[in-house]
């Protein structure tokens, strides 16, 4: 182990967090654990709701400010766990537990890197932020505290990426659609079946492909995921509702996609939000170039994170693998946390070289 004291601290704290259920919107106890640890280490955390942040000493407004962010909340445990999701267990170098991979590993590694770098003189300021409600894109999460932070010039989001830099991320928009018809008796030739109108719109959505796409994020992807209609077998339904999950690339805003759907679909559409935008960072950015010099491979991520709410350059870079997230027997390798601490520190030291 290259950072024995740091890795021991990271693993011990992560075990405490795993043993403290922190499903989205119920993270107060986990935030208490994080706050207590920071105070024990001589940090001065600030707190808003269940979000916690610290700034490096000697903050200089003339220097750029880098945000190190990861989330403390988890999804609910899925079926199929062979371990207790809230009992941390280490087996064969793997720490099992809910939230260990998503994103306890990044949360711990970024905190240790922050504390290491705070002992040095750097040409940048650091802000470490442990945020809540990431898994539900909640408004009491990172969105509620960004205005309380100093101006951020760049952010690292510690989501599990195998410590490869995700320099672009798809956005998300959820649309509730309602196809309208007219009720009638199913035995007679009357009424106007809303299901048939919905089918036409759903078929169009299945076949349509937006022309603009990139190598990093590929095409916009729209998928109908929920449908509901009818009250009983002999009544023509006068309404059919369905839900569209839209994953936007960086070529289109969510507003543009929604307006286009309104032009081409007959169903009534209502977007739940436009706020979860796609994001990207230029390949020329000094941190991306530092990653490339270390032999890392930039890529585009299809999964959503708090990066969608950041209006400044950012990327995802964290220990663990996205494929382990939200699965039974989720785990993080202790060696992955160890390696991540070292790599975060090295990349930040070298980003302006």
């Amino acid at each position: 182990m290259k950072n024995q004291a740091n890795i021991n601290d990271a693993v011990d704290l992560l075990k405490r967090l795993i043993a403290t259920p922190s499903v989205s919107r119920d993270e107060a106890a986990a935030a208490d654990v994080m706050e207590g640890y920071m105070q024990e280490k001589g940090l001065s955390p600030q707190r808003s709701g269940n979000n916690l942040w610290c700034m490096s000493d000697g903050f200089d407004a003339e220097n750029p400010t880098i945000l190190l962010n990861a989330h403390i909340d988890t999804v609910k445990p899925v079926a199929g766990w062979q371990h207790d999701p809230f009992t941390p267990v280490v087996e064969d170098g793997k720490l099992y537990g809910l939230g260990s991979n998503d994103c306890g590993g990044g949360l711990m590694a970024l905190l240790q890197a922050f504390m290491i770098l705070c002992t040095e003189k750097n040409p940048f300021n650091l802000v470490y932020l442990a945020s809540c409600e990431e898994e539900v894109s909640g408004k009491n999460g990172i969105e509620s505290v960004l205005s309380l932070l100093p101006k951020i010039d760049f952010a690292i989001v510690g989501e599990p990426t195998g410590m490869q830099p995700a320099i672009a991320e798809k956005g998300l928009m959820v649309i509730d659609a309602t196809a309208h018809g007219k009720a009638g008796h199913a035995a007679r030739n009357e009424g106007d079946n809303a299901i048939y109108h919905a089918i036409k719109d759903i078929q169009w959505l299945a076949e349509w492909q937006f022309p603009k796409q990139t190598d990093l994020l590929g095409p916009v992807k729209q998928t109908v995921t929920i449908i509901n209609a009818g009250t009983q077998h002999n009544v023509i339904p006068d309404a059919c509702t369905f839900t569209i999950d839209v994953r936007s690339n960086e070529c289109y805003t969510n507003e543009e996609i929604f307006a286009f759907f309104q032009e081409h679909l007959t169903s009534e559409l209502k977007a739940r939000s436009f706020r979860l935008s796609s994001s990207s960072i230029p390949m020329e950015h000094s941190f991306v170039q530092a990653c490339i010099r270390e032999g890392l491979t930039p890529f585009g991520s299809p999964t959503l994170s708090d990066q969608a709410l950041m209006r400044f350059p950012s990327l995802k870079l964290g220990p663990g693998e996205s494929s382990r997230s939200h699965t039974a027997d989720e785990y993080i390798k202790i060696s992955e946390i160890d390696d991540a601490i070292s790599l975060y520190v090295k990349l930040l030291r070298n980003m302006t070289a």
Side-chain angles (χ1 to χ4, degrees), residues 165 167 216 280-290 292 297-299:
I167 64 170
L216 280 172
S280 64
I281 188 170
M283 192 75 74
E284 296 75 24
H285 191 277
S286 60
F287 190 86
V288 178
Q289 288 299 306
I292 292 171
T297 304
F299 72 101

Side-chain angles (χ1 to χ4, degrees), residues 64-317:
T65 298
I66 299 173
L67 175 66
L68 309 179
N69 168 242
H71 63 89
I72 64 173
D73 61 311
T74 72
V75 295
K76 295 178 181 179
V78 298
W81 276 82
Q82 299 302 304
H83 301 77
D84 181 341
F86 301 112
T87 300
V89 175
V90 177
E91 296 177 356
D92 299 323
K94 299 174 182 176
L95 174 55
Y96 289 87
L98 183 64
S100 56
N101 181 77
D102 185 14
C103 73
L107 186 71
M108 298 299 101
L110 283 171
L111 179 54
Q112 295 300 321
F114 172 82
M115 291 192 294
I116 291 169
L117 288 164
C118 280
T119 65
E120 305 172 1
K121 183 171 178 59
N122 298 296
F124 50 76
N125 307 305
L126 286 175
V127 177
Y128 173 81
L129 169 63
S131 52
C132 67
E133 294 194 9
E134 189 273 347
E135 296 290 4
V136 293
S137 299
K139 292 193 174 183
N140 292 320
I142 192 171
E143 188 174 39
S144 70
V145 297
L146 286 177
S147 63
L148 305 178
L149 304 180
K151 176 182 176 294
I152 303 298
D153 295 281
F154 168 65
I156 301 171
V157 181
E159 292 287 320
T161 66
M163 286 307 286
Q164 300 295 329
I167 64 170
E169 175 186 88
K170 279 194 169 180
L172 169 65
M173 174 173 56
V174 180
I175 299 173
D176 294 308
T178 303
H180 295 284
K182 182 179 179 182
H185 198 299
R188 295 192 293 270
N189 188 23
E190 61 185 31
D192 182 17
N193 198 321
I195 292 176
Y196 298 157
H197 294 295
I199 287 173
K200 292 178 183 178
D201 281 350
I202 292 170
Q203 186 63 38
W204 183 89
L205 288 164
E207 294 175 353
W208 171 254
Q209 187 173 71
F210 285 91
K212 291 189 283 188
Q213 56 181 285
T214 66
D215 292 337
L216 280 172
L217 293 182
V220 174
K221 189 174 186 295
Q222 63 272 356
T223 308
V224 175
T225 53
I226 302 171
I227 186 168
N228 187 49
T231 57
Q232 57 191 63
H233 76 90
N234 56 354
V235 177
I236 300 294
D238 61 359
C240 177
T241 62
F242 56 99
T243 301
I244 312 167
D245 178 290
V246 183
R247 304 290 169 153
S248 52
N249 63 20
E250 71 271 48
C251 301
Y252 302 92
T253 66
N254 287 335
E255 290 86 347
E256 288 172 330
I257 294 170
F258 183 78
F260 188 81
F261 285 171
Q262 283 188 310
E263 291 178 11
H264 291 83
L265 302 178
T266 60
S267 299
E268 178 185 352
L269 306 179
K270 183 177 181 181
R272 296 182 187 177
S273 171
F274 296 116
R275 56 196 263 274
L276 302 176
S277 306
S278 61
S279 60
S280 64
I281 188 170
M283 192 75 74
E284 296 75 24
H285 191 277
S286 60
F287 190 86
V288 178
Q289 288 299 306
C291 289
I292 292 171
R293 288 194 298 271
E294 286 300 312
L296 306 183
T297 304
F299 72 101
S301 171
T303 58
L304 190 76
S305 74
D306 276 339
Q307 199 175 0
L309 298 168
M310 297 178 181
R311 302 297 178 253
F312 40 79
S314 61
L315 55 71
K316 289 192 296 197
L317 180 72

